[in-house]
């Protein structure tokens, strides 16, 4: 899969350099994007995130509650919170809204029976947190499989038009083949830039 303009993963605790280098990073042109990755069930979002980090197809451990990873895309450091989707921990999602630039919602494209649950969870998240201005990127995962739902079908079933958001995009992706991943990330960066890097607050700004 193409890796955009950045190939590496940088963790702040790994950086050991001079004061001058640190000051240089402060005044560098690279911006940061805070993204939250969510969905219901085992929809492949963690596998997708691992592909962004390693550029290969891996089978990571299932997210227990929260995993935070950082990757670089088009001169942006993307800090991504991967939140578990079990019903028992969904009440914790709201704690990760503040400071977020873009919300990424994943849907298993091979499991139509989970669409209703996914729709209710998504609409609940948006309504309860008064999210209006931040972009929403919906990723239909496992799109390399036969008979998988299209982005158009998922958008209709999730009733994305009823959310009242300013900018929503639905994209078919595959962690196995890399299908649609570059296009999705390009859209995400441009959407955040177009939104003036405005992040969510307690009042849903």
């Amino acid at each position: 899969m193409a890796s955009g303009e950045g190939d590496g993963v940088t963790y702040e605790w790994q950086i050991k350099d001079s004061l001058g280098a640190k000051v240089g990073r402060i005044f560098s042109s690279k911006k940061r994007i805070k993204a939250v990755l969510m969905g219901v069930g085992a929809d492949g979002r963690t596998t997708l995130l691992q592909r962004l980090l390693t550029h290969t197809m891996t089978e990571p451990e299932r997210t227990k509650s929260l995993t935070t990873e950082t990757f670089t895309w088009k001169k942006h450091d993307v800090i991504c919170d991967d939140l578990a989707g079990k019903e028992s921990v969904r009440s914790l999602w709201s704690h990760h809204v503040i400071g977020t630039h873009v919300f990424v919602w994943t849907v298993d494209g091979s499991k139509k029976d989970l669409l209703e649950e996914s729709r209710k969870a998504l609409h609940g998240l948006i309504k309860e947190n008064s999210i209006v201005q931040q972009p929403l990127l919906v990723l239909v995962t496992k799109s390399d499989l036969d008979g998988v739902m299209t982005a158009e079908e998922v958008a209709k079933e999730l009733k994305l038009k009823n959310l009242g958001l300013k900018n929503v995009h639905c994209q078919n992706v595959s962690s196995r083949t890399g299908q649609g991943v570059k296009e999705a990330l390009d859209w995400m960066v441009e959407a955040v830039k177009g939104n003036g890097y405005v992040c969510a607050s307690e009042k849903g700004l």
Side-chain angles (χ1 to χ4, degrees), residues 143-192:
S143 293
D144 55 300
L145 302 178
D146 293 334
V148 74
M149 293 178 287
T150 66
E152 291 76 15
E153 291 173 327
V154 170
K156 182 178 180 180
E157 292 295 328
L158 293 183
K159 299 183 179 180
L160 297 182
K161 292 183 178 180
N162 296 346
L163 289 172
L165 299 178
K166 294 183 178 181
N167 202 357
V168 181
H169 179 65
C170 192
Q171 175 82 44
N172 281 93
V173 296
S174 169
S175 300
R176 187 175 301 278
T177 67
Q179 170 194 344
V181 175
K182 178 183 181 300
E183 292 79 3
L185 291 176
D186 286 348
W187 182 91
M188 180 186 73
V189 170
E190 291 304 316
V192 172

Side-chain angles (χ1 to χ4, degrees), residues 1-4 6 71-76 78 182 185-186 189:
M1 181 193 73
S3 59
F71 63 92
T72 300
W73 193 266
K74 292 205 166 181
K75 296 182 179 179
H76 288 74
V78 182
K182 178 183 181 300
L185 291 176
D186 286 348
V189 170

Side-chain angles (χ1 to χ4, degrees), residues 34-38 45-46 49 62-69 79-86 89 92-93 95-96:
K34 170 66 179 303
V36 174
L37 185 63
M38 296 175 288
R45 62 188 171 280
T46 302
L49 180 58
R62 188 168 181 176
T63 304
K64 295 180 179 180
S65 179
L66 165 67
T67 300
T68 300
E69 302 284 6
I79 300 95
C80 185
D81 284 351
D82 176 15
L83 305 183
K86 295 186 298 182
V89 298
L92 301 176
W93 286 353
H95 297 294
H96 299 272

Side-chain angles (χ1 to χ4, degrees), residues 39-41 84-94 117 121:
V40 301
K86 295 186 298 182
E87 188 172 0
S88 60
V89 298
R90 291 176 198 170
S91 61
L92 301 176
W93 286 353
S94 295
E117 181 183 0

Side-chain angles (χ1 to χ4, degrees), residues 7 11-12 44 48 57 71 113 116 128 144 168 179 196-197 204:
D7 295 318
Y11 298 94
E12 292 185 358
L48 180 62
M57 174 68 180
F71 63 92
D113 58 317
E116 182 177 358
E128 291 170 14
D144 55 300
V168 181
Q179 170 194 344
Y197 297 95

